[in-house]
């Protein structure tokens, strides 16, 4: 047993001695790639932040892929005895089958570059797409992340963002909420508007933007009376439903409102 252990140790030492150059080269390339990855990541992020190009992780990830692919190419032949040209040829033969299996991923990657290079959207934009409204947090190689007012983060594939209708919003329009109402036909619109504004400002002022006070708009008529809506411009970080609830409670006791579809009037 001792002889076998000694033979095993000798074999291991002989293998390390025979492959010392390969292991050294592999370690040097790995360390160089790791350092280059960290340095270029910080440098590219700084450059993107100081330029008009939107700073998103898709560019950082692309740089990292290039660095590590270059490192792998440098060690294939010296360390593993694999000819990079042969490997590229083999990948080319299987490229058709691979592309069919990864067509959705490829579409997302191309869609991500289209969004970024075309400056369709960028981190920080307020957007509305397919019923989702929020702030673009990041655009990765596969998907874009949108954060809603409630703090939820919606993950939307880039291929969908690149083909679906998208609306870019301003902070005012993104934070606008409406409270519809119907008033009696005998009520004065001017007096109703002033009273509603007074009630809403008293009941929900801390939730609304001070630079954009609420508005009362009359939109039409029905058999029950004049129809309209209160426009609320909500502060950042406040749920629209919370502001609508406070405003509705503030005007609920007004005697000029039509209730129960006018049945009790």
């Amino acid at each position: 047993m001792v002889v076998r252990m000694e033979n095993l140790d000798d074999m291991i030492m002989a293998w390390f001695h025979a492959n010392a150059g390969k292991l050294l080269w592999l370690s040097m390339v790995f360390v160089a790639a790791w350092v280059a990855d960290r340095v270029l990541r910080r440098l590219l992020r700084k450059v993107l932040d100081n330029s008009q190009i939107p700073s998103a992780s898709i560019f950082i990830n692309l740089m990292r892929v290039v660095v590590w692919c270059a490192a792998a190419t440098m060690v294939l032949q010296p360390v593993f005895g694999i000819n990079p040209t042969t490997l590229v040829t083999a990948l080319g033969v299987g490229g058709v089958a691979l592309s069919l299996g990864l067509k959705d991923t490829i579409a997302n990657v191309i869609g991500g570059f289209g969004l970024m290079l075309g400056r369709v959207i960028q981190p920080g934009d307020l957007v509305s797409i397919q019923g989702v409204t929020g702030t673009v947090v990041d655009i990765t190689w596969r998907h874009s992340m949108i954060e809603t007012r409630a703090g939820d983060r919606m993950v939307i594939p880039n291929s969908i963002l690149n083909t679906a209708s998208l609306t870019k919003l301003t902070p005012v329009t993104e934070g606008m909420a409406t409270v519809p109402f119907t008033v009696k036909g005998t009520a004065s619109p001017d007096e109703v508007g002033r009273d509603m504004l007074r009630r809403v400002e008293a009941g929900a002022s801390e939730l609304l933007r001070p630079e954009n006070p609420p508005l009362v708009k009359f939109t039409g008529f029905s058999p029950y009376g004049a129809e309209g809506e209160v426009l609320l411009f909500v502060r950042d970080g406040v749920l629209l439903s919370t502001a609508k609830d406070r405003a509705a409670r503030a005007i609920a006791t007004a005697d000029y409102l039509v209730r129960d579809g006018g049945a009790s009037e």
Side-chain angles (χ1 to χ4, degrees), residues 85-108:
T85 305
T86 305
L87 181 61
V88 171
T89 303
L91 292 176
V93 173
V96 175
L98 185 64
S99 63
L100 291 176
L102 299 177
K103 61 180 181 179
D104 291 337
T105 300
I106 295 174
N108 288 327

Side-chain angles (χ1 to χ4, degrees), residues 70-86:
T73 303
M74 295 175 64
V75 299
L76 282 176
Q77 182 71 35
V79 178
F80 301 103
I82 300 175
N83 190 337
T85 305
T86 305

